[in-house]
């Protein structure tokens, strides 16, 4: 197993200007795993309830995702209700029900604990810390994501976690909330001061900016005519980003730059339809074609 991920596995109720879904498969770890599965071997750590649909298990298995760490517990699956009605770039959370995640204790097999890449997707930072602590060896790269709820209610654990990771992937608004800085480069340098050597600040339709060691890189978002459902864009970005790094097994500057474009490629598919409807049905040539479109989108000659 190349990448281990822990994070929410959810049923989401989502409303966007394109329509409404009452209960669609979602969760940060789910979007991440499906996106990363096109590049490398992924294993998930998480918990679902007894309401979890066997068809969703089958979909994860069809992507060769190792779900031996996805436990089934008595109770309901994590549930998030959100909308994007005012601003398509900003999720407004209407309700969060942790359900079976409230009492989840992660258990890692040897294969999980020896994964060389670890992604701590959005979930309670105390849980993210437990998984990091349970690794047999320090992975080659550890990255995490988070969101406003955890900044509000679990900031000490989140700060401890951020001090231990190599990369933080975070939304612009949340980066500002976390650091108290209003200006993007100031927020990024405050995050660097907390520990990570790389920070990816995600900005919805404006793309993502990677602040690395002595360099920064701007990845645009693909200019789609119609965004159907932005849910999971950030996690799909992370899945492409980490999936690519794990597949080349390098975390140098050039690889990080390419990874940011692979991340943008996967995020662009995520928003084209509700939930995982587009991302779960991709082919490798769909991905290669969209990646090439990014090369074209950002190609320019030097001044002579
Ligand atoms: P994003 O990629 O940022 O759009 O993440 C979307 C996913 O995050 C949704 O599928 C939700 O189930 C999940 N989510 C929402 N709130 C939380 C939370 N507080 N902790 C963990 N996951 C969450």
């Amino acid at each position: 197993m190349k990448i281990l991920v822990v994070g929410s596995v959810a049923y989401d109720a989502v409303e966007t200007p394109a329509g409404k879904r009452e209960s669609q498969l979602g969760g940060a770890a789910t979007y991440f795993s499906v996106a990363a599965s096109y590049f490398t071997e992924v294993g998930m750590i998480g918990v679902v309830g007894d309401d979890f649909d066997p068809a969703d298990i089958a979909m994860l298995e069809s992507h060769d995702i190792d779900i031996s760490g996805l436990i089934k517990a008595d109770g309901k699956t994590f549930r998030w209700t959100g909308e994007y009605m005012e601003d398509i770039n900003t999720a407004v959370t209407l309700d969060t029900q942790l359900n079976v995640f409230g009492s989840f204790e992660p258990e890692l097999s040897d294969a999980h604990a020896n994964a060389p890449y670890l992604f701590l997707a959005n979930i309670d930072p105390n849980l993210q810390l437990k998984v990091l602590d349970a690794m047999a060896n320090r992975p080659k790269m550890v990255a995490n994501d988070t969101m406003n709820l955890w900044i509000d209610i679990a900031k000490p654990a989140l700060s401890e976690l951020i001090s231990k990771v190599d990369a933080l992937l975070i939304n612009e608004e949340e980066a500002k909330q976390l650091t108290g800085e209003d200006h993007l480069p100031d927020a990024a340098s405050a995050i660097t001061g907390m520990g990570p050597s790389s920070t990816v600040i995600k900005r919805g339709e404006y793309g993502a900016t990677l602040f690395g060691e002595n360099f920064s890189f701007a990845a645009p978002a693909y200019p789609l005519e119609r965004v159907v459902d932005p849910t999971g864009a950030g996690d799909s970005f992370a899945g492409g980003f980490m999936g690519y790094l794990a597949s080349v097994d390098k975390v140098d500057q050039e690889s990080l730059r390419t990874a940011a474009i692979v991340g943008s490629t996967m995020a662009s598919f995520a928003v084209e339809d509700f939930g995982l409807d587009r991302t779960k049905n991709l082919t490798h040539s769909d991905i290669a074609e969209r990646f090439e479109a990014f090369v074209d989108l950002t190609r320019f000659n030097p001044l002579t």
Side-chain angles (χ1 to χ4, degrees):
M1 179 183 310
K2 274 295 200 61
I3 306 184
L4 184 68
V5 56
V6 62
S8 55
V9 178
Y11 283 127
D12 296 335
V14 171
E15 187 171 9
T16 82
K20 207 171 169 172
R21 291 289 184 276
E22 291 302 335
S23 181
Q24 67 183 15
L25 177 64
T30 316
Y31 282 106
F32 177 91
S33 299
V34 176
S37 73
Y38 291 97
F39 303 93
T40 194
E41 295 152 28
V42 190
M44 292 172 93
I45 297 287
V47 61
V48 295
D50 42 29
D51 56 351
F52 203 69
D53 188 341
D56 292 331
I57 293 282
M59 188 279 290
L60 296 170
E61 283 179 335
S62 75
H63 283 80
D64 292 330
I65 297 165
D66 180 332
I67 54 164
S68 58
L70 187 63
I71 306 304
K72 196 164 191 171
D74 290 340
K76 283 189 170 171
T77 299
F78 180 104
R79 192 171 172 84
W80 177 72
T81 306
E83 61 164 41
Y84 305 81
M85 297 308 278
E86 292 279 311
D87 171 10
I88 194 79
N89 292 304
T90 309
V92 175
T93 295
L94 302 175
D95 190 33
T96 304
Q97 305 278 335
L98 290 182
N99 297 331
V100 289
F101 263 104
S103 54
F104 175 56
E105 289 295 331
E107 274 179 36
L108 277 60
S109 67
D110 280 355
H112 295 137
N114 284 291
Y117 290 80
L118 175 63
F119 188 64
L120 304 163
N122 187 16
I123 196 64
D124 186 335
N126 292 294
L127 189 51
Q128 293 174 310
L129 273 170
K130 275 187 194 165
V131 172
L132 178 57
D133 289 345
M135 295 304 281
N137 303 298
R138 173 65 166 74
K140 191 164 182 172
M141 180 177 184
V142 181
N144 82 296
D145 191 357
T146 191
M147 73 180 288
N148 48 11
L149 175 71
W150 308 117
I151 301 172
D152 287 337
I153 71 170
K155 188 137 182 222
L158 181 59
S159 301
E160 184 189 341
L161 176 73
I162 293 172
S163 76
K164 295 180 175 176
V165 303
D166 304 299
L168 173 66
L169 285 74
I170 189 166
N171 288 345
E172 179 174 17
E173 281 315 308
E174 286 151 0
K176 290 176 178 174
Q177 183 190 350
L178 176 70
T179 59
E181 298 287 353
D182 282 338
H183 185 55
L184 201 67
D186 291 341
S189 77
I191 292 168
T192 305
M194 294 170 79
S197 52
S198 297
T199 302
V200 177
I201 300 196
K202 298 172 286 176
R203 304 172 59 230
E205 69 177 313
Y206 307 109
T209 309
L210 162 66
F211 295 87
E213 276 171 322
N214 305 316
F215 77 99
S216 52
F217 176 69
Y222 190 69
L224 290 168
E225 275 173 25
R226 188 158 177 261
V227 169
V228 172
D229 175 12
T231 313
D235 306 307
S236 304
F237 178 99
F241 183 81
M242 291 287 286
Y244 173 77
L245 292 173
S247 73
V248 295
D249 200 15
K250 280 196 282 195
V251 287
D252 57 6
Q253 181 180 154
E254 291 310 311
S255 309
L256 287 164
R257 286 171 180 260
T258 306
I261 299 295
V262 177
S264 296
T265 300
M266 299 312 289
S268 76
F269 288 122
V271 306
E272 280 186 322
D273 206 343
F274 277 98
L276 283 142
D277 287 359
R278 179 81 172 111
T279 307
K280 72 182 179 192
N281 291 318
L282 293 172
T283 63
H284 287 280
S285 63
D286 292 331
I287 295 171
E289 212 173 283
R290 181 66 57 86
F291 183 88
E292 282 309 311
F294 271 94
V295 173
D296 199 44
L297 183 66
T298 53
R299 179 173 53 81
F300 55 90
N301 294 324
L303 273 182
T304 49

